[in-house]
């Protein structure tokens, strides 16, 4: 049985010192990390800074019944890095706010930070500051991520133009189906606590849900290919919702071809098992954290052989609307059915 | 009776648009604010960036029984700006994360943002991004503030040297006594809901508690006077705790003279009414958000006539310890009795 040390044994300052000791600083722009009133950064000349913030709330964004705290920590950093990637920027620093419920032990918080530490290593990001406090409820994690991009090269949602190719990285729908598996097994386990959850059969979709990765690899590859997307967004709420955001902010329409949507075999198998339409899972399942972006038609040759980029459609005039084109060639207006928090 | 609109009528994207419409951008370094995956900033050349984050949790940091949401919003921004000030920096942007319990209406969130908007105006700060989500409990506000300072001029906690003068802005203990008044009146009102709380008698200490100000005024005045503090921290946990932080990180001791501690008359009156030692209130009462800093002895003439800066002692060798010197000249080791969240 593992140790359980109450947080009050450590106190807030003890906890800060404990976190500080495990942090490695890698970024040349970090002048001062944890331990003062603020971190000090010296941004690289000729670069713009991008800043994004995300909250993960226990019972809303994660469920500790089936999600280990280490994965929660990793995911909390990854989803913030994903927002930085979606600006065509490279992440540099994060600050972390934690509101911690009274049932959390020092060991639990260590596990959470271990996940964040691993993600910082994977994305080459410095954890430079934070705030920790008690909460009256569960755990709330607030991360603000900063990144840098050569001046003027940040990619917004608003730059898509008619005839641009609409591209997406990786595959879609897996994270949503991973959540379906977890919720089914939780319901079964709630009904019969002696039952063993069957999770070994679903490694791919579970990994997509529990431990998503930000697509920094693709950002670096696009730079190497000399491709600057005209617009970009990360797929957190579901593809349909994100296509609508791009089109709304760019003042365009779009055609998305259902046959082109990137499906992974394990996703198709789980969709089949759950009797769910895989197209709907790919369009409306959230949390894949892939990148959706547009490139000029003239860049087609540069990306056409990239194994991890799929052209799913193209941008049109606004008057054409935003449509899903079915296998039969039928255009259907695309609707967002993404996350509704409230 | 005021209107009450459920948040689900608006949805997350509707709420973001509503916030976006009320935001004014003032900072030349803000290239893109709310509405994309991240904000885009172009930091001024020759400057370092400072970054700080703070959480305010309902039931821990604020109590809506006696604290209007507009004040909560103002305070949430002010306490973050105070951290930026404590680095000798000028605040430029904030991002705001909100986890909102189900009992909050659109009008309540409007009131909260109205307070944040007023603070942004007061401190000349741009609200450039955020995240809003549901929570299973009360309201959690997470703010990350950024600021700028000429390269290399950020002031850390670690730069105090023996013989430096120890200075504090404004006066101390008021915020703590404001909280005592509010808690007494709340207890009386809980016992008898027909009773009218008596708050008119205590405008000063209540304002100190409910609507503190970050001392950006002093930061600008020190610049005008040509004074760069050797170390600085803001008084959020209580003076004693902050003096100990400065000394620990600087590797020094200090002597604080109890007779020199800055007391406001309304604070003394309320301390007397509550039968509390005003010295203890000034030493251990938190949330005054004044600045504690050290300056070289040679800068004494520059600040000696400043109406809002009090010299409360001086820095000593580490081996002398950190002591409070009583009216009778007796040194007593200083102990932190600040906030304990856990």
């Amino acid at each position: 049985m593992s140790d359980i040390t109450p947080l009050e044994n450590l106190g807030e300052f003890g906890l800060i010192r404990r976190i500080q000791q495990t942090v490695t600083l890698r970024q040349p722009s970090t002048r001062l990390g944890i331990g003062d009133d603020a971190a000090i950064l010296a941004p690289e000349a000729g670069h713009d800074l991008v800043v994004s913030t995300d909250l993960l709330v226990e019972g809303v964004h994660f469920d500790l019944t089936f999600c280990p705290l280490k994965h929660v920590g990793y995911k909390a950093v990854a989803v913030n890095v994903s927002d930085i990637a979606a600006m065509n920027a490279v992440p540099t620093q994060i600050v972390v706010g934690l509101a911690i419920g009274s049932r959390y032990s020092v060991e639990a918080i260590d596990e959470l930070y271990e996940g964040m530490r691993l993600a910082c290593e994977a994305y080459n990001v410095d954890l430079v500051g934070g705030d920790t406090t008690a909460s009256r409820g569960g755990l709330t994690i607030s991360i603000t991520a900063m990144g840098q991009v050569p001046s003027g090269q940040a990619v917004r949602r608003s730059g898509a133009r008619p005839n641009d190719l609409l591209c997406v990285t990786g595959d879609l729908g897996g994270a949503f189906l991973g959540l379906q598996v977890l919720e089914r097994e939780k319901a079964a386990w709630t009904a019969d606590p002696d039952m063993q959850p069957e999770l070994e059969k679903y490694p791919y979709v579970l990994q997509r849900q529990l431990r998503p990765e930000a697509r920094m690899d693709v950002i670096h590859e696009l730079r190497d290919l000399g491709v600057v997307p005209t617009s970009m967004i990360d797929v957190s709420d579901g593809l349909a919702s994100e296509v609508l955001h791009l089109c709304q902010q760019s003042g365009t329409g779009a055609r998305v071809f259902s046959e082109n949507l990137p499906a992974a075999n394990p996703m198709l198998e789980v969709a089949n098992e759950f009797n769910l339409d895989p197209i709907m899972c790919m369009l409306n399942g959230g949390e894949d954290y892939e990148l959706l972006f547009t490139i000029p038609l003239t860049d087609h040759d540069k990306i056409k052989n990239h194994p991890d980029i799929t052209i799913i459609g193209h941008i049109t005039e606004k008057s054409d609307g935003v449509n899903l084109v079915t296998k039969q060639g039928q255009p259907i207006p695309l609707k967002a059915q993404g996350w509704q928090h409230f």
Side-chain angles (χ1 to χ4, degrees), chain A:
Chain A
M1 177 99 190
S2 54
D3 289 341
I4 293 176
T5 315
L7 272 176
E8 59 260 39
N9 288 15
L10 212 56
E12 185 182 359
F13 300 134
L15 184 60
I16 293 169
R17 274 193 298 276
R18 193 178 175 93
I19 295 162
Q20 199 173 5
Q21 281 159 10
T22 66
V23 162
T24 310
L25 298 179
R26 298 169 184 89
Q27 287 288 336
S29 61
T30 303
R31 289 284 182 275
L32 182 69
I34 297 172
D36 216 298
D37 291 280
I40 308 175
L41 315 179
E44 202 177 334
H47 285 73
D48 287 340
L49 195 85
V50 298
V51 186
S52 181
T53 195
D54 261 310
L55 288 168
L56 269 81
V57 178
E58 185 176 349
V60 177
H61 299 94
F62 60 90
D63 181 336
L64 293 176
T65 322
F66 48 64
C67 194
L69 273 166
K70 199 178 188 176
H71 284 18
V72 172
Y74 193 96
K75 183 170 175 173
V77 175
V79 303
N80 273 279
V81 168
S82 182
D83 280 322
I84 301 300
M87 302 303 287
N88 193 35
V90 173
T92 48
Q93 285 91 11
I94 59 167
V95 293
V96 177
L98 287 187
I100 309 173
S102 57
R103 75 174 191 282
Y104 284 82
S105 65
V106 171
E107 289 75 17
I109 301 303
D110 279 348
E111 206 197 322
L112 181 71
Y113 271 98
E114 174 62 10
M116 290 197 276
R117 204 187 57 70
L118 286 171
C120 284
E121 201 177 311
Y123 298 113
N124 197 28
V125 173
D126 289 354
L127 199 170
V128 296
D131 188 23
T132 52
T133 175
S135 95
R136 293 281 168 266
L139 178 67
T140 297
I141 307 168
S142 159
I143 297 191
T144 301
M146 284 154 285
Q148 65 174 29
V149 53
S151 298
Q153 289 189 28
V155 174
R156 307 179 183 202
R157 297 177 177 178
S158 55
R161 294 294 167 258
N163 300 318
D164 281 357
L165 298 173
L166 188 61
C167 307
V168 73
T169 61
D171 53 75
L172 299 171
F176 170 75
L177 287 165
L179 186 62
Q180 304 315 306
V181 170
L182 290 167
E183 290 188 339
R184 182 185 66 185
E185 297 302 309
K186 184 185 175 184
W189 177 82
T190 307
D192 173 13
D194 288 333
M195 158 267 181
Q196 285 296 315
E198 282 189 45
L199 298 176
E200 298 74 20
K201 278 172 61 187
Y202 310 99
Y204 185 75
V205 297
L206 291 177
Q207 176 256 316
R208 295 290 287 171
Q209 169 58 225
L210 295 175
R211 204 175 179 287
E213 294 285 359
R215 297 311 305 258
M216 280 311 303
D217 53 341
V218 174
I219 295 301
H220 291 296
E221 286 157 13
L222 287 176
R223 285 194 189 184
D224 292 345
L225 293 168
V227 176
V228 181
T230 49
S231 70
M232 188 151 50
I233 188 170
D234 73 329
V235 183
S236 55
D237 291 331
L239 183 74
S241 171
E242 315 304 358
V243 171
L244 288 165
H245 279 308
L246 279 195
C247 288
Q248 191 200 354
Q249 295 200 28
S250 296
T252 66
R255 291 167 77 86
V256 176
F257 296 90
S258 69
E259 275 201 297
N260 292 13
L261 295 177
N265 281 330
M267 184 281 290
L268 292 171
E269 288 163 18
V270 183
N272 187 45
E273 183 182 332
F274 277 75
N275 229 338
L276 289 166
D277 176 6
I279 300 288
M280 291 313 287
C281 296
M282 290 191 281
L283 281 176
N284 296 315
E287 297 199 283
D288 287 315
Y289 297 103
E290 298 294 342
L291 294 170
L292 174 73
F293 59 96
T294 55
I295 60 170
L297 197 51
T298 49
D299 278 345
H300 177 250
D301 283 352
K302 295 182 187 167
I303 62 113
K304 69 178 180 192
N305 293 321
H306 194 295
D308 233 10
I309 295 176
T310 306
I311 300 169
I312 59 169
H314 60 262
I315 300 296
T316 64
E317 297 293 341
K318 187 174 185 178
S319 56
D320 295 329
V322 183
N323 291 292
L324 179 74
V325 182
T326 65
K327 209 171 167 178
Q328 292 76 28
Q330 198 69 29
I332 305 168
L334 208 58
K335 287 206 176 66
Q337 291 170 15
W339 291 81
Q340 278 295 348
H341 291 310
F342 302 116

